[in-house]
Structures are given as C-alpha cells and as structure tokens.
Amino acid sequence: MNIKITPGPLKGCIHSISSKSHAHRLMIAASLCADFCQVSISDMNEDLEATENCLSQLNDLFPVFNCNESGSTLRFMLPLSMALKDKAVFLGAGRLPERPISPLKEEMESHGCTFTKGTDSPQNSTGNTQQIFTVTGRLKGGVYNLPGNVSSQYITGLLFALPLLKENSTINITSNLESSSYVMLTLEVLKLFGIIIEVYKAPQVQDEPLYSFIIKGNQQYISPGKVSAEGDWSNAAFFIVADALSCLAHNVSTPSVTCLHLNPDSAQGDKEILSFVETVRKTRHSNEKLVFDVSDVPDLVPVLAVLAASRQGTTEIINAGRLRIKESDRLATVYEMISHLGGNITELPEGLVIHGTGKLKGGWVNGHNDHRIVMAAAIASILCTEPVIIQGTEAVNKSYPKFFQDFAHLGGKYNVL
C-alpha cells in the first residue's frame, strides 16, 4: 500500500502500544511455567504473532517453527526449542533467512546440536516463506562464549534455555556488550518468573567491559499469576520526535504530542530518545556538532536521523554497523530516505552524518519492507514543505499495525494512492 502525506504538525494524546521486546519475553517465560500465567498485551503485531505461534508448538514432538520475518523469534526460539526437543524445523520470510545466526549457531553446534539446510519440505513452507534449517540434537550445558557486539538476542535466547538443562552453564561475553539494556530486560523477566542468573562484570580489559552469566541447571519457571507488557519506548520514539518537530513548527515549548503508559523506570534502552530530543532542542540553532552513540539503541536510528535533520548543524550517528542486517540495510535505507526528502546526509560504513538545515522538502520514499523506515518517513513529513509519498506502508504491521491510525488521530493527513 502506498500513501501520500500532506505535511503538517501533530497534536494530541495517544496510548503507547505494548512493548514488543517486553511482550516477547513475557510470552516465552509464561509458556515455560507449569501453572497458567496470564499475559496481558494490549497490542499484537506480526512479530509477536510469530512468537505466539511458535510457542504453541512446544508440545509437538517435532515442531515446525514459522518465525515469519521476526529475528527475535528465531534467535529466542533456537536455543529454547533445542533445550526441549530432539528435532525442530525453522522457517522464515523476507530477509530473515539471509540474516546471520553466527556465532550462536557455532556455539549450539559445540553443545550438542546439528544444523542442516534444505533436508525437509514442510507443507506450510509456502509463499515467500522458506526453510532456514533443521536442527537436531539436544542442547547441552557448559561454557558458551559469545561476542557482545553482534546481537543481544543470542544472549537472551540462551538465558531462557540454559536454566532448563540438567547441567550448569556459563555465558561469557568476550567483547563490549552492546544493546545491554535488552539483556537487562531479559534478566528482569527471568527474575519475575523465579529464574536466578548470577551476573559478573569483570574489570575493564582494553577499555571494554566483559560480562559472565552464571546459570544453574534444573531450574523451574514459576508463574507469577498475571503479568502485563509495559508501553513501548521503541515505537513511542516516533511520536516523541513528532512532538519535538511539531513544537518547532509552532515555535512553542509546551508539548504538542503526549504518549501515555510509558514506564520512566523501564529497562528498555530506547527511552534514551528523551535525552536525544533534549540535546537537539538545546542545540537546534547552533552549529555545534553532535555525536550520538547508538550501540545500545540501534532501533532509534531512523527517527534519530529525522530529528537530526530538524536542527541547524551536523549530527553524526556512530556504532550503527549492525543496522545493515535488519529488515533492510538500515544505514543505506535511512540515507536514501533523507536524501529523497531533500536532506543532506552521508552514509558511513558504521554510521551516518546528517547536515541539518532545519527543514526537508518532501518527495517519494521506498519503505523497503522495513517498518521503522516507513514510520520515520511519516514523521519526517512534519519537516517537509511538499507532500511525502511512501511506498509499502503495510510494513508497519511488523511492530505497530495501528501506526497510521494514531498518526491520523493526532491530525496527520494522508490518503491511500
């Protein structure tokens, strides 16, 4: 679906949707409890539905897990399923079959699992869904060594799985732990469900902190009875930036857009958007160069680039190399988005440099089947002097199906082409 947005400020109040990151973790933990646990999630999306469907097959002898396009689902379910099963088939769609799974794959292989590509042809492997691999062999405990700068989701998957094994285990993080807030969120959920993980942070080695997670085997997930997914800072970030841009458009300092049900004490790292916005507010009319390190909050980059375009001056986004293996190559697609809208941006191997002028022109944007590119382009329309046309807006269904409903509720004007 393609839409055309007429530029204009947003104003009003919306209810923040449930955190996808928190909901994934609550759903998984609840499914592992002997007693029933009610998980309250106010808003579902395609990624959460993928996890829900996979968890429903945990009682099957040889499950076929269709992870759709959800990297979180695949990376969480891989170690978890092999802690419980002798064989499982994993399917995926979109870019998921192409996205890397190393070094988690190699660590699982050294602990009892075998990965095979193309040996099964499940009946539900249809459309753009394809088999990624078949995994056989039970996961074993022991020592796991993982770099911390590839994907925190590998660590989370193992943290869910290893307490279920007979043996004790240790996860050693051999390099700087990026996206550490997501690991801390996992640990919070595990503690809520009675799982004990000991965390050790070693002294700095070559300026990089190292972590070890000590995990006893034979633990049991204990139902807390009822849990609720908190509000999502990742997706609220788009409307938090929309508030900043709308205030600029009206030349006012009072909030124009309010997002309810966000936990200020959340472990979600993307609440960092508040400090990014405040920094840009203070330097909007200066020529001061800003440098934003996004190693812990990579999902903010698309909307952060839009925010950077709203100020006069240069903003550099660093430590964002992992964005090249998301739903799209997000460094390339953010560069294309800002360029097509008339902005001045430079793409670097692991980051971006935005030369802000305080405004954008408008134009045509390819969503590249990436929900965060589509939403960022919609918010960028606030800065534009001419309409913005976005191709493939259905991509928002991955994380925020009612995004354009909320956009319209706040006064956003668009029509379907």
Side-chain angles (χ1 to χ4, degrees):
M1 182 175 71
N2 302 338
I3 68 167
K4 180 179 180 181
I5 300 177
T6 301
L10 303 184
K11 185 177 183 180
C13 180
I14 59 170
H15 296 270
S16 300
I17 65 171
S18 293
S19 164
K20 185 174 68 158
S21 298
H22 197 213
H24 274 302
R25 289 160 172 78
L26 293 177
M27 291 165 62
I28 292 170
S31 74
L32 299 172
C33 296
D35 297 324
F36 176 73
C37 178
Q38 181 181 343
V39 181
S40 178
I41 303 171
S42 62
D43 304 273
M44 292 293 287
N45 54 54
E46 290 179 349
D47 280 9
L48 293 179
E49 288 169 357
T51 292
E52 183 179 51
N53 290 337
C54 289
L55 292 173
S56 70
Q57 297 182 59
L58 277 182
N59 290 327
D60 295 354
L61 183 60
F62 298 123
V64 177
F65 296 118
N66 186 352
C67 301
N68 198 358
E69 297 186 33
S70 175
S72 298
T73 303
L74 175 63
R75 292 161 178 170
F76 296 164
M77 291 301 300
L78 259 175
L80 176 61
S81 61
M82 301 321 296
L84 302 171
K85 302 295 174 183
D86 295 313
K87 177 181 178 180
V89 178
F90 290 85
L91 311 178
R95 289 190 85 203
L96 185 61
E98 306 166 15
R99 294 172 68 177
I101 202 67
S102 296
L104 176 61
K105 174 178 176 290
E106 287 75 15
E107 283 299 290
M108 289 181 63
E109 287 175 329
S110 67
H111 289 81
C113 299
T114 300
F115 286 68
T116 308
K117 293 182 70 70
T119 59
D120 293 317
S121 299
Q123 292 182 351
N124 58 343
S125 181
T126 59
N128 72 337
T129 300
Q130 58 182 289
Q131 182 179 336
I132 305 175
F133 35 61
T134 299
V135 188
T136 55
R138 287 290 181 106
L139 190 68
K140 297 177 181 179
V143 178
Y144 289 76
N145 296 306
L146 289 170
N149 60 348
V150 179
S151 174
S152 67
Q153 293 172 350
Y154 299 163
I155 302 167
T156 285
L158 288 170
L159 287 173
F160 275 115
L162 296 180
L164 299 171
L165 305 181
K166 293 180 180 179
E167 309 91 349
N168 297 336
S169 300
T170 300
I171 304 173
N172 291 321
I173 307 304
T174 59
S175 65
N176 186 47
L177 180 55
E178 298 182 357
S179 295
S180 59
S181 59
Y182 289 100
V183 176
M184 297 306 129
L185 184 64
T186 301
L187 292 173
E188 279 192 3
V189 170
L190 288 170
K191 183 178 180 181
L192 178 64
F193 283 82
I195 300 297
I196 305 302
I197 310 285
E198 296 182 47
V199 183
Y200 291 95
K201 183 177 179 181
Q204 288 191 345
V205 178
Q206 295 181 349
D207 298 324
E208 293 186 344
L210 302 179
Y211 287 84
S212 290
F213 301 93
I214 312 301
I215 306 155
K216 290 185 178 180
N218 288 315
Q219 296 193 57
Q220 294 182 341
Y221 284 76
I222 301 171
S223 171
K226 182 178 181 180
V227 292
S228 298
E230 61 187 28
D232 189 2
W233 283 96
S234 298
N235 283 320
F238 292 95
F239 288 115
I240 291 170
V241 170
D243 172 60
L245 304 187
S246 297
C247 288
L248 171 67
H250 283 297
N251 195 27
V252 297
S253 58
T254 55
S256 293
V257 178
T258 303
C259 300
L260 301 177
H261 301 145
L262 290 172
N263 177 10
D265 299 320
S266 172
Q268 295 177 58
D270 286 341
K271 67 182 181 182
E272 184 70 12
I273 190 62
L274 295 177
S275 65
F276 289 158
V277 166
E278 184 59 25
T279 300
V280 169
R281 285 186 194 273
K282 292 179 179 178
T283 61
R284 175 167 282 137
H285 300 296
S286 76
N287 290 322
E288 177 184 351
K289 180 180 178 179
L290 299 182
V291 178
F292 290 137
D293 184 338
V294 297
S295 56
D296 199 41
V297 288
D299 286 343
L300 292 181
V301 168
V303 77
L304 187 57
V306 173
L307 179 65
S310 74
R311 65 181 296 265
Q312 301 283 346
T314 299
T315 304
E316 183 173 3
I317 297 173
I318 63 172
N319 294 327
R322 287 181 296 152
L323 290 177
R324 295 200 182 277
I325 56 172
K326 294 288 188 177
E327 286 80 352
S328 67
D329 177 344
R330 278 196 190 144
L331 292 182
T333 52
V334 169
Y335 167 80
E336 179 185 283
M337 172 189 66
I338 297 295
S339 297
H340 283 192
L341 294 177
N344 186 347
I345 183 171
T346 302
E347 179 183 350
L348 304 176
E350 295 196 4
L352 299 163
V353 179
I354 300 94
H355 307 282
T357 62
K359 61 181 179 180
L360 296 170
K361 181 179 179 182
W364 176 86
V365 174
N366 186 334
H368 290 285
N369 196 36
D370 191 328
H371 52 135
R372 299 198 189 279
I373 297 299
V374 171
M375 292 188 285
I379 298 307
S381 69
I382 299 171
L383 289 177
C384 294
T385 57
E386 298 177 10
V388 174
I389 297 172
I390 308 174
Q391 178 185 20
T393 56
E394 64 275 9
V396 299
N397 293 330
K398 190 175 195 304
S399 66
Y400 197 164
K402 66 172 189 176
F403 172 81
F404 282 102
Q405 178 182 333
D406 284 348
F407 183 78
H409 176 74
L410 295 171
K413 298 178 182 179
Y414 71 91
N415 60 283
V416 178
L417 300 180

